[in-house]
């Protein structure tokens, strides 16, 4: 694996791989790798020739009152993890390398960014789409891998790629959980032990909502009450939102039918955590996707990505 800091060097290696007929796979990240990140690297490794992982804590997607300075970083640990996953290039640029001048050109996806996380983080997705568009332009991937942990981000990036005719296939990969159900996140590092225990209420609430839907509940308000009622039993957990929305356009639904995203965000101690599940209901058939439990690193199998 090569660790690269300069855009020029990155372009050069990606150009050469493409010229030799290789497919470039790309995994954008902010580092502090866990099994969720590693599952994306494995998916990229399995179906592309040159695997590029970016490690960049993007200031543009943090509001002034957010955790940019405190965001956990472990460059050496990340390099070791990426190398172990067979990554070819770890692109770890400085902020000046990515933004030599404050950008006056940004990418904004309307509509999809208005609700859910966009409501409490109104500038966040503009920062995400701007940096992802820039990274796509630097790397030139044929496939880019994103986790369904960040379901809204995945929907927004997919729409950006479609609207701008970017020649990249956006691949959604399963949400990876800790054995006790907590969605893996770099921000889990902020949790004190009592908060860490309390935080499992988010996945337990999603499980409870899933059980209601499996038992026949179709009223979104009812499912919402089950979700919020359970989360409210944990005084350490403050709900930011809990919503039942259409999986494609992220607008609220009243009835659970077709493809639905059930998404939550909450403050737990210093951390703001998100979690979600997708539910597909057709006639009497219900399929709930809560993701996967982190694979044992010694196990050969990895979660299979969904190709979109
Ligand atoms: P981040 O470093 O948090 O910006 O995340 C980089 C990528 O990893 C994004 O596509 C995330 O959706 C993905 N990711 C983060 N946590 C998980 C998780 N628990 N399961 C699957 N993907 C994840």
């Amino acid at each position: 694996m090569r660790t690269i800091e300069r855009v020029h060097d990155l372009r050069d290696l990606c150009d050469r791989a493409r010229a030799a007929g290789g497919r470039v796979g790309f995994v954008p990240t902010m580092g502090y790798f866990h099994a969720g990140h590693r599952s994306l690297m494995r998916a990229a490794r399995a179906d592309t020739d040159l695997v590029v992982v970016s490690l960049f804590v993007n200031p543009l997607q943090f509001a002034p009152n957010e955790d940019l300075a405190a965001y956990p970083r472990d460059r050496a640990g990340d390099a070791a993890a990426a190398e172990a996953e067979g990554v070819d290039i770890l692109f770890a640029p400085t902020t000046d390398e990515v933004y030599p001048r404050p950008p006056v050109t940004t990418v904004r996806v309307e509509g999809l960014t208005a609700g859910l996380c966009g409501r409490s983080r109104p500038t966040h997705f503009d920062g995400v789409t701007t940096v992802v568009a820039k990274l796509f332009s630097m790397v030139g991937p044929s496939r880019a891998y994103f986790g369904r942990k960040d379901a809204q981000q995945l929907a927004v990036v997919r729409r950006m790629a479609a609207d701008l005719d970017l020649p990249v296939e956006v691949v959604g990969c399963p949400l990876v959980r800790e054995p006790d159900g907590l969605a893996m996140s770099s921000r889990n590092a902020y949790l004190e032990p009592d908060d860490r225990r309390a935080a499992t209420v988010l996945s337990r609430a999603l499980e409870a909502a899933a059980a209601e839907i499996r038992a026949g509940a179709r009223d979104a308000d009812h499912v919402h009450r089950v979700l919020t009622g359970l989360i409210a039993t944990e005084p350490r957990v403050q709900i930011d939102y809990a919503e039942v929305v259409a999986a494609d356009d992220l607008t609220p639904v009243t009835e659970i039918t077709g493809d639905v995203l059930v998404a939550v965000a909450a403050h737990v101690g210093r951390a703001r955590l998100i979690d979600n599940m997708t539910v597909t209901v057709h006639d009497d058939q219900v399929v709930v996707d809560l993701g996967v439990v982190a694979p044992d690193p010694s196990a050969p199998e990895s979660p299979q990505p969904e190709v979109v």
Side-chain angles (χ1 to χ4, degrees), residues 28-30 34 36-37 40 146-147 149-150 153 174-176 184:
T29 82
M30 298 203 300
H34 50 66
H37 296 111
L40 306 184
F146 291 83
K149 154 86 185 323
D150 299 87
Q153 170 174 277
L175 190 166
V176 180
M184 287 191 152

Side-chain angles (χ1 to χ4, degrees), residues 30-37 67 71-72 121 149-150 175-178 181-191 196 199 202 266 271-275 294:
M30 298 203 300
Y32 211 67
F33 296 151
H34 50 66
H37 296 111
D67 58 340
Y71 198 82
R121 306 185 74 191
K149 154 86 185 323
D150 299 87
L175 190 166
V176 180
R177 298 181 181 279
E178 300 280 1
L182 180 67
M184 287 191 152
S185 166
S186 306
R187 290 188 166 101
N188 292 348
Y190 298 148
L191 298 172
R196 170 68 185 76
L202 299 179
R272 180 179 178 281
L273 304 180
I274 58 174
D275 201 346

Side-chain angles (χ1 to χ4, degrees), residues 211-233:
E212 292 289 314
I213 298 167
R214 285 196 190 99
R218 297 291 179 267
D219 177 23
D221 277 346
H222 171 71
V223 171
H224 182 263
R225 276 193 297 276
V226 170
L227 259 184
T228 53
L230 196 63
I231 298 172
T233 63

Side-chain angles (χ1 to χ4, degrees), residues 82-263:
E83 179 130 46
E85 295 299 345
V87 169
D88 297 302
I89 297 175
L90 184 64
F91 177 53
T94 61
T95 302
D96 284 349
E97 181 71 7
V98 177
Y99 301 112
R101 291 172 294 181
V104 292
T105 307
T106 57
V107 179
R108 175 172 174 77
V109 174
E110 300 283 351
L112 287 172
T113 58
L116 305 177
C117 288
R119 194 162 293 126
S120 52
R121 306 185 74 191
T123 58
H124 170 68
F125 288 110
D126 296 353
V128 170
T129 42
T130 300
V131 82
V132 169
K134 281 167 69 71
L135 290 166
F136 281 1
S137 162
M138 296 170 191
V139 174
S142 51
R143 298 183 116 198
Y145 298 80
F146 291 83
R148 291 204 284 268
K149 154 86 185 323
D150 299 87
Q152 187 175 17
Q153 170 174 277
L154 174 58
V156 166
V157 168
R158 196 175 271 162
R159 183 60 190 262
M160 172 188 78
D163 282 356
L164 299 180
D165 298 295
L166 303 181
V168 56
E169 190 178 355
V170 175
V171 181
C173 297
L175 190 166
V176 180
R177 298 181 181 279
E178 300 280 1
D180 67 0
L182 180 67
M184 287 191 152
S185 166
S186 306
R187 290 188 166 101
N188 292 348
Y190 298 148
L191 298 172
E192 304 294 343
D194 284 346
D195 292 329
R196 170 68 185 76
R197 273 187 289 278
T200 60
V201 78
L202 299 179
S203 56
R204 286 187 279 120
L206 289 170
E207 294 268 12
E212 292 289 314
I213 298 167
R214 285 196 190 99
R218 297 291 179 267
D219 177 23
D221 277 346
H222 171 71
V223 171
H224 182 263
R225 276 193 297 276
V226 170
L227 259 184
T228 53
L230 196 63
I231 298 172
T233 63
E234 268 299 349
R236 292 177 170 275
V237 177
Q238 257 70 58
I239 298 179
D240 177 3
Y241 66 75
E243 290 199 43
V244 185
V245 299
D248 53 358
D249 63 8
L250 309 183
T251 55
V253 298
T254 54
E255 197 199 338
I256 297 180
T257 180
D259 294 328
V260 166
L261 174 72
V262 182

Side-chain angles (χ1 to χ4, degrees), residues 276-295:
N276 73 80
M277 64 178 174
T278 48
V279 181
T280 305
V281 178
H282 285 301
D283 302 324
D284 284 347
Q285 274 225 312
V286 176
V287 178
V288 176
D289 180 359
L290 273 152
V292 296
V293 173

